[in-house]
Amino acid sequence: MKYLHDTFPTPFGDFSIVLDENGAIAANAFGNFAVLKKWDPELQATRDPSALREAREQMLAYFSGDLRKFTLPLAPKGTAFQQRVWSALRHIPYGATRSYGEIAAEIGNPKASRAVGAANGSNPICVIVPCHRVIGSDGSLTGFAYGEKLKRRLLELEGALLRI
């Protein structure tokens, strides 16, 4: 499979994106391309900024507060359960949050909040599939691969949290 990637600076730090052979986003991450290897240690990709122009432009518009809904094709790889969770995440509106329990209930398995947490943590496409919008039932900012500080900044950008 032929993958293309790019890394570019954002107000939130470097951001990397990988496209699959169909031009869909297979993974992305805060940091450089090497960070993406945590999702797939065997990942090989050719750097091609021109192929990722639209994805880069949408991400930069989001990070500047000018974009609320992405229109990029996505192709995350995961189990059927993970796919259901990631689909539910994409339905969390900009500026809103949901608890792990609420997502579990939404996918028809109200006792699966821990499994939802695991699926959320294995999401290969952050921000676009907004795993940062999932919080603890007590309102705590738990479970974001890039840390609570970055999760807080993203939620503040979206207006889901007041800036402290």
Side-chain angles (χ1 to χ4, degrees):
M1 189 174 282
K2 182 182 176 188
Y3 290 101
L4 302 174
H5 79 92
D6 191 22
T7 299
F8 50 93
T10 79
F12 290 76
D14 285 350
F15 198 79
S16 296
I17 301 175
V18 172
L19 298 182
D20 70 9
E21 72 278 0
N22 298 313
I25 296 176
N28 67 13
F30 288 95
N32 62 26
F33 176 75
V35 173
L36 292 166
K37 296 250 185 194
K38 87 176 196 176
W39 303 114
D40 181 356
E42 304 298 316
L43 183 63
Q44 300 291 321
T46 302
R47 186 161 188 262
D48 186 348
S50 65
L52 284 97
R53 183 185 57 77
E54 180 63 26
R56 182 177 55 254
E57 287 176 3
Q58 285 194 35
M59 294 306 305
L60 291 172
Y62 167 83
F63 289 129
S64 69
D66 296 329
L67 181 79
R68 293 176 173 229
K69 186 168 179 73
F70 293 95
T71 59
L72 300 165
L74 306 179
K77 290 185 178 158
T79 66
F81 180 80
Q82 289 171 327
Q83 296 287 347
R84 286 199 333 262
V85 170
W86 300 337
S87 177
L89 298 180
R90 293 201 63 209
H91 291 98
I92 303 172
Y94 183 97
T97 59
R98 299 288 185 272
S99 71
Y100 296 98
E102 288 172 319
I103 297 296
E106 184 178 324
I107 64 169
N109 198 342
K111 295 184 180 192
S113 59
R114 286 183 184 223
V116 165
N120 195 51
S122 64
N123 171 23
I125 303 176
C126 67
V127 180
I128 300 169
V129 177
C131 52
H132 63 281
R133 295 180 189 158
V134 183
I135 60 173
S137 59
D138 62 357
S140 59
L141 302 183
T142 61
F144 188 57
Y146 306 99
E148 182 180 327
K149 182 178 178 182
L150 186 52
K151 182 172 186 161
R152 177 175 296 283
R153 285 186 64 203
L154 293 169
L155 292 173
E156 287 172 349
L157 170 73
E158 295 182 3
L161 291 179
L162 295 176
R163 288 199 163 107
I164 298 174

